[in-house]
Amino acid sequence: MAIDTQTTTSGPHPAVPPTSGAPAAPPTTPPTPSAPGDGRLSGRARLVLFVLCAAQFMVALDFSVLNVALPVLGKDLGLSQSALQWAVTAFALPSGGFLLLFGRIADLYGRKKLFLTGLLVFGAASLLATLAWDPASFLAGRALQGLGAAVIVPTGMSLLTTTFPEGPLRDRALGISGTLLSLGFTIGMVLGGVMTDTLGWRSTMGLLSVAAVVVLALAPGLLPESRTTERPRLDVPGAVTVTGGLLALIYALSTAASRGFGDVDVWGTLVLGLVLLSVFVAVESKSPAPLVSLPMLKRRTVAWGNVGGLVTFSMMSTVVFVLTLYLQETLELSSFLTGLVFGVQGAASALAGAYAPKVIGRFGARRTLVGSLLGQGVLTAALLTVGAESGAWVATAAVSLASMCHLGAIISYGLVVTSGVPDGEQGLATGLVTTTQQVGLTIGIPLLGVLATTQASLFDGVRTVLGVDAVILLAAALLVGLGLRRTAS
């Protein structure tokens, strides 16, 4: 495929001359070959896409593969039930908090270099978690996994959007990436249970370590180096305030489910996070080399695209959580049968991923995003028809169809946000996309999931959550549609 961007890429491909007088970095890797004239991916392009998608899939798998293993893990390592949440929070804090910072560092100093570094950290951290001998060593491994993920996700997405030119090739690449992202989360839930029952919880972390080694072995010879031609100074005050703000916000929302929003620690860190993010906005407005371009955040495509992404991720993660409770606690299905339900959901997502680029090509990313949010909302509302004694088939059908719409929203919101963004800011744009993803996955369950366990009965709580979830999705579809319509006019 032709690489014609303002990023530094290796090989003889022509590049747009830098807008500043900064010299281009020397070539270090072989170029990615051009795609065939009909827009199909070339053999080498498929290998590049495989490496980038494998890394994203690995991180998505890590987000869910350990969930069903937590009770066994806690007994083995001596983690109390109240402390088990830290197995998830220790990963979520750095993975969400450092995304923007590492996305910008990659823009400035080389996306490929940082991507490989992230893989190395992630692989070593997974090995540490596999061999953990006490709670401290395990949580340290999880935190380092999150740090590695915070590097891999934005750099991997930046490499994808700068390697595949805007148009059908990028649409197809993002479609495959989005499908694997959704599948990684779903497969992780099923695979985690099977591996824990047969090989023990440590096998779930060992699998991630092996996956990191495989990707790390393939990536250096396939990926082109890419970075901005300009070399501004890193915005340290902005980096400190945005990272601190995100860390505080994610910590507060992650712990609210167990402690409640009335806990001093929860609302204190929530206020701290909001204050730091407010300071960050003030710092960026005066910085000569801001970490986040405020004019870019004022673009309606960036703002409304990320709103759509935040809603689709947070609402679907909440649905999966409450359906797990409903199937196992209300209908008393086994873990295996519950896994089959989500296996069907994963297959539906894979099917949607195959057709989403064609839908986007016909209707456009903006209309697809709005339609996907609308469909996800309607099908979530359909889950309200399940009963207290039966409803597994309805739940399977509705959540699978909702996941197809969810997959369409994932792919289209990434395209809405990144389309038209200069290559020099792709790391920032994809950092925003992936920060939205991680924050969405983190906040949905604390904000709504707690309603399922505080009602008179679990079944009533599940219905309450599903109703609120559907209303939020439908409202978001309306608002995003209006916002993006004004953009187009």
Side-chain angles (χ1 to χ4, degrees), residues 29-32 43-44 47-51 112 218-224:
T29 56
T32 304
R44 184 178 180 83
L47 289 175
V48 170
L49 184 59
F50 170 78
V51 168
K112 176 182 175 180
L218 295 174
L222 288 172
L223 301 180

Side-chain angles (χ1 to χ4, degrees), residues 213-295:
V213 170
V214 172
V215 177
L216 190 59
L218 295 174
L222 288 172
L223 301 180
E225 184 54 282
S226 170
R227 62 169 173 261
T228 60
T229 53
E230 297 180 4
R231 299 296 295 273
R233 296 175 59 186
L234 182 64
D235 175 23
V236 176
V240 171
T241 51
V242 73
T243 302
L246 287 172
L247 287 172
L249 190 64
I250 294 171
Y251 171 83
L253 294 174
S254 296
T255 55
S258 60
R259 299 187 185 182
F261 281 99
D263 185 86
V264 174
D265 191 28
V266 171
W267 64 257
T269 51
L270 183 62
V271 170
L272 175 63
L274 294 175
V275 168
L276 286 173
L277 291 178
S278 299
V279 173
F280 167 70
V281 173
V283 168
E284 297 304 277
S285 65
K286 299 178 181 179
S287 174
L291 179 67
V292 172
S293 170
L294 293 182

Side-chain angles (χ1 to χ4, degrees), residues 64 74 77 98 127 140 172 186 217 234 242 254 326 371 374 441 484:
S64 60
L77 292 180
F98 288 98
L127 181 60
R172 186 175 181 189
T186 304
L234 182 64
V242 73
S254 296
Y326 167 73
L374 180 62
L441 288 170
L484 293 179

Side-chain angles (χ1 to χ4, degrees), residues 48-64:
V48 170
L49 184 59
F50 170 78
V51 168
L52 295 175
C53 288
Q56 302 286 346
F57 178 83
M58 176 180 68
V59 173
L61 195 69
D62 192 15
F63 208 92
S64 60

Side-chain angles (χ1 to χ4, degrees), residues 163-435:
T163 299
F164 295 88
E166 190 171 332
L169 282 175
R170 185 182 293 180
D171 292 357
R172 186 175 181 189
L174 285 173
I176 295 172
S177 177
T179 300
L180 290 177
L181 180 69
S182 180
L183 280 176
F185 184 81
T186 304
I187 290 174
M189 296 180 64
V190 180
L191 191 61
V194 174
M195 294 185 70
T196 300
D197 286 343
T198 57
L199 301 173
W201 71 265
R202 294 179 187 273
S203 64
T204 63
M205 297 291 97
L207 173 66
L208 297 171
S209 183
V210 173
V213 170
V214 172
V215 177
L216 190 59
L218 295 174
L222 288 172
L223 301 180
E225 184 54 282
S226 170
R227 62 169 173 261
T228 60
T229 53
E230 297 180 4
R231 299 296 295 273
R233 296 175 59 186
L234 182 64
D235 175 23
V236 176
V240 171
T241 51
V242 73
T243 302
L246 287 172
L247 287 172
L249 190 64
I250 294 171
Y251 171 83
L253 294 174
S254 296
T255 55
S258 60
R259 299 187 185 182
F261 281 99
D263 185 86
V264 174
D265 191 28
V266 171
W267 64 257
T269 51
L270 183 62
V271 170
L272 175 63
L274 294 175
V275 168
L276 286 173
L277 291 178
S278 299
V279 173
F280 167 70
V281 173
V283 168
E284 297 304 277
S285 65
K286 299 178 181 179
S287 174
L291 179 67
V292 172
S293 170
L294 293 182
M296 189 177 80
L297 286 177
K298 293 178 181 178
R299 294 182 184 179
R300 290 186 178 273
T301 51
V302 174
W304 288 110
N306 276 300
V307 167
L310 181 68
V311 171
T312 192
F313 271 110
S314 58
M315 295 302 100
M316 181 51 70
S317 65
T318 303
V319 166
V320 170
F321 173 75
V322 297
L323 277 186
T324 301
L325 294 177
Y326 167 73
L327 293 171
Q328 294 192 24
E329 301 295 332
T330 301
L331 298 187
E332 298 183 348
L333 295 186
S334 66
S335 298
F336 176 74
L337 290 176
T338 302
L340 286 182
V341 171
F342 293 112
V344 174
Q345 178 197 18
S349 296
L351 181 64
Y355 285 96
K358 297 179 181 179
V359 175
I360 292 171
R362 180 173 181 179
F363 297 103
R366 299 177 187 183
R367 291 180 180 177
T368 303
L369 174 58
V370 175
S372 297
L373 289 171
L374 180 62
Q376 186 179 338
V378 170
L379 289 161
T380 299
L383 286 166
L384 291 169
T385 62
V386 299
E389 297 180 357
S390 64
W393 289 107
V394 172
T396 303
V399 75
S400 298
L401 293 173
S403 291
M404 296 179 75
C405 295
H406 170 61
L407 202 284
I410 291 175
I411 299 170
S412 54
Y413 104 86
L415 287 171
V416 168
V417 173
T418 59
S419 295
V421 175
D423 282 337
E425 294 184 351
Q426 279 293 334
L428 172 59
T430 55
L432 288 171
V433 168
T434 49
T435 297

Side-chain angles (χ1 to χ4, degrees), residues 72-100:
V72 178
L73 180 154
K75 293 178 181 178
D76 186 30
L77 292 180
L79 273 171
S80 65
Q81 193 170 30
S82 60
L84 282 179
Q85 63 161 335
W86 279 102
V88 178
T89 303
F91 176 84
L93 277 171
S95 65
F98 288 98
L99 277 168
L100 279 176

Side-chain angles (χ1 to χ4, degrees), residues 1-5 7 9-10 13-16 31-34 162-165 224:
M1 78 197 66
I3 299 182
D4 187 13
T5 68
T7 54
T9 54
S10 55
H13 290 280
V16 177
T32 304
S34 299
T162 55
T163 299
F164 295 88

